[in-house]
Amino acid sequence: MVSYAVPSADQAKLTECAAEFIKGDFRDLGPGKYLQICPQQLGYVAYLEILFRIFGPFSYSAAEWVNVCFICLEFYMIYKNTELIFENKKITNLVLVFLFGFLPYIFFSTFLYGEMLASPIALSAVYGFVRFMKEKRISYGILAVLCLGLSVLLKQNNLVIVVAVILYLLVKGLEQKRTVCLLMAALSLLSVGIMDVGIKKQYELRSGYDIEGGASPLMYIAMGMQESDMAEGWYNGYILGAFWECDKDFERSAQRASHDIRQSVDHFVKEPAYALRFYYRKIVSQWTNPLYECLWISHFEKVHNGPLHPVVQSIYEGKLHRLFLYFANEYQWILYGCALIGMLSLRKKCTLEQLFFALIILGGFFFHVMWEAKTRYVMVYALLLIPYAALGCDWIMYSLNAKFSIRKK
């Protein structure tokens, strides 16, 4: 809030759409318009529309305070999931230490985008499903199903978490011979589908426009296999240009993307060294940025809605920026190192629940190897490493304590 950040790019467009919808202007749902190209944004636009109806159009401060609440919810759900899954007070306390050190997330409080709400809601769903399996209370399962559908409505990348949940429920169902697990898996898919169809249908009825498929998801994969000025596989404008060349038709855009994907695959096959370098840089550019684009997003084109306090200005461009970058970089390597040790410590004995976050992280890793790259996309998976980092840190302290105890004897 003290950064006076102004929504830009997609954020600005989403807020404009919500404000116009309140006035009854639905032109952005028309052929070739933003929400016809990206209908997956309708869930977040609906949320903004509700918020603006309560607090007034372009109530950025209200949206930012909601973000703060959801950041706190995400931290809380990581803590509660760790408490539920590991049942170890030392590990949950260490999780709190790691969470307090995850400073980049604080700067996303000004980021008006679906993932700010979707990630905490998805983690609430994970918590609900685990409680459902442990306590056999159907109410937890139903709430988890609703949370899962809502999280995908707000951010479709959370389909990665849906896949992990379905696998978890299927394995537990077969293991415990509980058909209700299969029912919950089916209800989860149904929840995702109904919410997606429902949000589109209500906007179709209000606007009079038919909401088509938009740009094919294959276009994001095709772009993820191309060069970019930012890094390999990052945004390069391909989707918008190619979609217009396909006359804004979903089927034609899918065919175009399929053709471009085959071309990229052929190129990678002919030049394996290039392919290796391409994907190495794509992965590294996402997973080794310790700030996850947090300052870039809230300081985009250096446009702000008020004067910056000298401390804030220094965080963006001065001495505090260098200190922040140094701290975040060291924190990230400690997080990764401890998480690796924590995961290795589980190799001999662990429960399926203790592997739940690891399954989501693995799915997210491979998804973003294929998909359009952005370092902020992987931030949620970095957060999910924290319980494993706490486990690894506890293992290190235990090993050191045991070593020094032996020496004293």
Side-chain angles (χ1 to χ4, degrees):
M1 271 64 79
V2 294
S3 69
Y4 297 103
V6 178
S8 56
D10 283 2
Q11 298 177 74
K13 192 61 187 175
L14 293 173
T15 57
E16 288 170 14
C17 289
E20 292 301 315
F21 288 177
I22 291 172
K23 295 188 293 186
D25 185 347
F26 293 96
R27 281 178 292 181
D28 276 302
L29 285 170
K33 298 295 184 179
Y34 179 78
L35 290 173
Q36 278 286 358
I37 299 172
C38 305
Q40 70 271 16
Q41 300 282 25
L42 284 171
Y44 190 68
V45 170
Y47 153 75
L48 286 176
E49 190 179 347
I50 294 169
L51 195 74
F52 289 174
R53 285 182 184 276
I54 297 170
F55 296 100
F58 302 106
S59 301
Y60 299 143
S61 293
E64 289 166 3
W65 278 112
V66 171
N67 280 355
V68 170
C69 293
F70 272 82
I71 288 171
C72 292
L73 176 62
E74 181 147 15
F75 282 8
Y76 179 69
M77 291 317 304
I78 290 172
Y79 173 83
K80 291 299 289 182
N81 272 294
T82 305
E83 185 180 57
L84 180 64
I85 290 169
F86 288 99
E87 299 178 337
N88 185 313
K89 192 65 178 176
K90 285 173 64 179
I91 293 172
T92 52
N93 287 339
L94 285 167
V95 161
L96 289 176
V97 174
F98 275 102
L99 287 172
F100 280 118
F102 207 97
L103 299 182
Y105 204 15
I106 296 170
F107 288 85
F108 278 90
S109 61
T110 62
F111 186 50
L112 305 188
Y113 220 62
E115 60 221 57
M116 297 308 300
L117 311 183
S119 296
I121 294 172
L123 291 183
S124 300
V126 170
Y127 180 77
F129 281 119
V130 175
R131 284 289 295 267
F132 163 69
M133 293 306 305
K134 282 179 174 283
E135 300 177 20
K136 298 178 173 59
R137 289 175 59 182
I138 198 73
S139 58
Y140 281 118
I142 296 300
L143 286 172
V145 164
L146 295 174
C147 284
L148 196 63
L150 185 57
S151 76
V152 176
L153 181 65
L154 290 164
K155 187 67 177 178
Q156 288 200 349
N157 287 12
N158 276 358
L159 285 168
V160 169
I161 298 177
V162 173
V163 172
V165 164
I166 299 301
L167 289 174
Y168 169 74
L169 290 171
L170 291 177
V171 171
K172 295 298 284 189
L174 293 171
E175 181 185 279
Q176 299 180 7
K177 297 180 180 178
R178 293 175 63 193
T179 54
V180 70
C181 296
L182 305 181
L183 176 62
M184 283 299 164
L187 287 176
S188 296
L189 294 174
L190 194 62
S191 174
V192 170
I194 288 175
M195 289 192 188
D196 180 60
V197 171
I199 199 72
K200 290 176 180 175
K201 183 56 66 177
Q202 72 93 12
Y203 274 120
E204 285 181 342
L205 292 172
R206 289 173 61 194
S207 67
Y209 290 111
D210 290 329
I211 298 174
E212 307 295 340
S216 169
L218 290 174
M219 302 194 86
Y220 291 88
I221 296 175
M223 185 168 69
M225 302 173 76
Q226 297 171 6
E227 299 280 353
S228 164
D229 291 338
M230 289 181 280
E232 284 77 357
W234 285 56
Y235 179 80
N236 62 6
Y238 162 82
I239 293 174
L240 189 60
F243 190 63
W244 277 86
E245 289 174 11
C246 295
D247 294 326
K248 306 174 285 294
D249 181 79
F250 177 83
E251 295 297 334
R252 289 183 61 187
S253 72
Q255 293 171 4
R256 165 69 184 272
S258 298
H259 174 266
D260 292 340
I261 289 169
R262 285 193 296 272
Q263 281 195 322
S264 294
V265 169
D266 289 343
H267 186 201
F268 291 149
V269 170
K270 290 177 182 176
E271 298 188 41
Y274 168 79
L276 188 64
R277 185 170 63 251
F278 179 94
Y279 281 104
Y280 169 79
R281 290 176 177 174
K282 182 178 182 180
I283 292 167
V284 167
S285 68
Q286 294 182 90
W287 288 89
T288 63
N289 184 330
L291 298 183
Y292 305 99
E293 300 179 274
C294 71
L295 296 183
W296 179 81
I297 283 170
S298 60
H299 195 48
F300 186 73
E301 295 183 350
K302 302 181 180 180
V303 177
H304 297 267
N305 201 26
L308 293 181
H309 189 279
V311 172
V312 177
Q313 184 66 46
S314 181
I315 291 173
Y316 280 127
E317 297 176 336
K319 291 181 179 179
L320 288 179
H321 174 80
R322 292 190 291 274
L323 182 62
F324 182 29
L325 181 60
Y326 174 80
F327 171 82
N329 189 58
E330 297 306 311
Y331 173 92
Q332 187 181 65
W333 285 112
I334 291 171
L335 175 67
Y336 286 174
C338 288
L340 177 61
I341 292 170
M343 288 181 177
L344 290 173
S345 72
L346 292 172
R347 69 188 186 280
K348 292 183 179 179
K349 184 181 179 181
C350 65
T351 64
L352 182 59
E353 285 76 15
Q354 289 170 349
L355 296 177
F356 207 149
F357 279 3
L359 182 61
I360 295 171
I361 294 164
L362 191 64
F365 175 83
F366 285 111
F367 176 75
H368 289 291
V369 167
M370 296 188 303
W371 203 254
E372 173 198 3
K374 266 191 177 68
T375 190
R376 80 162 201 269
Y377 289 161
V378 306
M379 183 175 65
V380 64
Y381 306 114
L383 280 165
L384 296 186
L385 284 170
I386 285 177
Y388 300 111
L391 181 64
C393 192
D394 180 60
W395 185 89
I396 291 169
M397 290 190 294
Y398 174 81
S399 300
L400 290 174
N401 185 52
K403 184 177 180 180
F404 285 118
S405 295
I406 292 170
R407 283 187 177 181
K408 286 179 181 179
K409 291 179 182 179

